[in-house]
Amino acid sequence: MDNTLAMVEGEGRQRILAAAEKLFSDKAFDAVSMNAIACEAGISKANIYHYFPNKDTLYLAVLRVASHNLRAVLNEAVSAHGSVLDVLRHFARNHLQALLNRPQLVRLVWREILERGAPRAQEFAEQGFADMFSALVDVLKLGQSRGEFRQDFDPALVATLLLGANVFFFQSRDILRHYPPITFADDPAGYVAGIVEILLRGLVPAPS
Amino acid sequence: MDNTLAMVEGEGRQRILAAAEKLFSDKAFDAVSMNAIACEAGISKANIYHYFPNKDTLYLAVLRVASHNLRAVLNEAVSAHGSVLDVLRHFARNHLQALLNRPQLVRLVWREILERGAPRAQEFAEQGFADMFSALVDVLKLGQSRGEFRQDFDPALVATLLLGANVFFFQSRDILRHYPPITFADDPAGYVAGIVEILLRGLVPAPS
DNA sequence: TCTGATATTGACCGATTGGTCGGATGTTTT
DNA sequence: AAAACATCCGACCAATCGGTCAATATCAGA
């Protein structure tokens, strides 16, 4: 019976996890030392080993919670209502906004996806993908069954296209920014709106 | 007057660069030791320092040549002729094919883009971007001026969308593969064809 | 054949790495 | 109070890190 201060069950653990998440999201696994993590967490290095048996386990734990949180954030951003078209628009906008709101989590998980030879936690990433995909594919299928979308495209392909556009925007935002003809680098909402509009209406003028 | 064998001016240099490129493309900077590079190149570690003053310089050199080669490969893939529509299709297909043909180069450059706090060679990446973008934007603008495309979209935005779709496909191909509703993970040509078709015609049925 | 320059190496260096250990702090339970 | 427990840390360890250096091997031009 004391939650007086700093003793609320696993407080030390979470301090370590938070510090590790912060550092691992900026630099790669080998570029982050246990010393740096301990320093960031304000504890001693040896103390980390009281909670985690080794560096890999700690990293795995960080990745697990990060993936879980990111998944929650993204799933939360999905829910919408109204016409299929509105749902699609909301989905795209909220998805990108969620990515931009939690850059640490996104970078952490995405780096793991890109690293080779070490499928340490591909399962996590796949779970996140699965959720996004199925939700988006469902929306598209609904649109098709309602006749609001044409029937002759693969919903999974369009889902890939849309999610990819958002992820790409997130990843290369800094580069896009100092590139003259691009005006939407700092206007994610405008970017998404433009993309969705193009997706819906296409590049080719409608036959009159 | 001897190119008999193994003495063709900077042969040692290139061996080192090749080994470093291979290792750096799989693992991050700190995860690759000079020892590993020397071993991969079949020489001694000390010998590396005869050609490169330190690890950073070597990495920079690797990134420089990789970026240059990637840029050449991508630019080569761009050239096309025929109707604007055909040019666009060729562009998209060849661009993705170029990415898939040189996964090492792409991963190397792209990792550098994603790493934080160390803009070691962002210039290289930006150059590659600039080329692709301007080429693609030009195609789209041409289509607009010819009236083959509608006028009310931002060419830079569509270029981002298309390039992003390809990069995203390249990056997350492994994940896409073991995801049931996706049938195009091993069919890049089909993927690109589907994407371009959607881009051109849009999701919404043409008004009859 | 001598000479100067370029390649190449093994041995070594200080620093840092991930990880261990014994003991010093409490806190809780008995 | 004392045993039992979780928490925390300074000091230490072997291994590896990036990097240096003196010594050799190789070879072109004289």
Side-chain angles (χ1 to χ4, degrees), chain A residues 12 42-44 46-47 50-51:
Chain A
I43 62 175
S44 77
N47 196 12
H50 174 69
Y51 295 95

Side-chain angles (χ1 to χ4, degrees), chain B residues 25-135:
Chain B
S25 73
D26 275 351
K27 302 200 280 182
F29 179 81
D30 298 84
V32 177
S33 71
M34 296 297 272
N35 233 324
I37 297 175
C39 185
E40 172 78 24
I43 62 175
S44 75
K45 182 181 71 167
N47 196 11
I48 296 182
Y49 287 89
H50 175 68
Y51 295 95
F52 302 93
N54 51 51
K55 190 182 181 183
D56 285 88
T57 303
L58 169 57
Y59 181 74
L60 243 292
V62 168
L63 213 65
R64 169 169 268 118
V65 33
S67 179
H68 177 271
N69 288 346
L70 180 60
R71 205 175 158 198
V73 169
L74 290 178
N75 278 336
E76 184 186 6
V78 165
S79 66
H81 33 275
S83 74
V84 172
L85 226 130
D86 283 340
V87 170
L88 188 65
R89 273 194 257 260
H90 277 73
F91 185 103
R93 187 189 331 154
N94 291 342
H95 177 258
L96 180 55
Q97 202 52 247
L99 293 181
L100 294 174
N101 283 345
R102 303 279 183 172
Q104 280 194 16
L105 301 184
V106 179
R107 278 201 300 267
L108 199 51
V109 173
W110 203 255
R111 169 179 296 119
E112 192 59 28
I113 294 177
L114 297 182
E115 214 70 21
R116 294 293 297 228
R120 274 188 273 238
Q122 209 151 350
E123 31 169 348
F124 302 138
E126 294 192 25
Q127 288 176 349
F129 258 67
D131 288 351
M132 286 293 99
F133 252 98
S134 54

Side-chain angles (χ1 to χ4, degrees), chain A residues 2-76:
Chain A
D2 83 310
N3 34 3
T4 55
L5 205 145
M7 258 323 285
V8 255
E9 161 76 13
E11 195 268 350
R13 241 188 121 87
Q14 282 175 329
R15 266 255 285 273
I16 297 172
L17 282 174
E21 178 188 307
K22 176 176 179 182
L23 296 182
F24 279 135
S25 73
D26 275 350
K27 302 200 280 182
F29 180 81
D30 298 85
V32 177
S33 72
M34 296 296 273
N35 233 325
I37 297 175
C39 185
E40 173 77 25
I43 62 175
S44 77
K45 182 180 70 167
N47 196 12
I48 297 183
Y49 288 88
H50 174 69
Y51 295 95
F52 302 93
N54 51 50
K55 189 181 181 182
D56 285 86
T57 303
L58 170 58
Y59 180 74
L60 242 292
V62 168
L63 213 64
R64 169 169 267 117
V65 32
S67 179
H68 177 270
N69 289 345
L70 180 59
R71 206 174 157 200
V73 169
L74 290 178
N75 278 336
E76 184 186 7

Side-chain angles (χ1 to χ4, degrees), chain A residues 150-193:
Chain A
R150 42 163 42 107
Q151 316 277 340
D152 58 350
F153 65 81
D154 178 1
L157 196 144
V158 175
T160 308
L161 182 52
L162 188 55
L163 294 179
N166 278 352
V167 171
F168 183 77
F169 179 87
F170 170 86
Q171 287 180 339
S172 51
R173 200 177 169 199
D174 288 338
I175 294 182
L176 296 178
R177 208 188 316 268
H178 16 66
Y179 194 59
I182 294 179
T183 61
F184 47 80
D186 286 307
D187 179 21
Y191 172 75
V192 162

